Amino acid sequence: MRTALLCRTQMRLVAVWDGRPPSGKGGGTADTVEQARAAGVDVVVVWPEGAGRKG
């Protein structure tokens, strides 16, 4: 099932994502990137140098 975000994506999706796998809950960044790639959407993943995950 494509999310509303992917239904509106026409050319490219830019995602800020640390590369962690899907949590299994659905709807997260990993799920969206995976679905976009499967749908043939050009995906650009950005994870700024020095960025860290909190929480």
Side-chain angles (χ1 to χ4, degrees), residues 28-55:
T29 304
D31 297 298
T32 302
V33 168
E34 185 177 87
Q35 290 172 7
R37 287 178 173 161
V41 173
D42 182 26
V43 178
V44 176
V45 175
V46 178
W47 187 250
E49 185 177 332
R53 199 178 164 107
K54 296 181 181 179

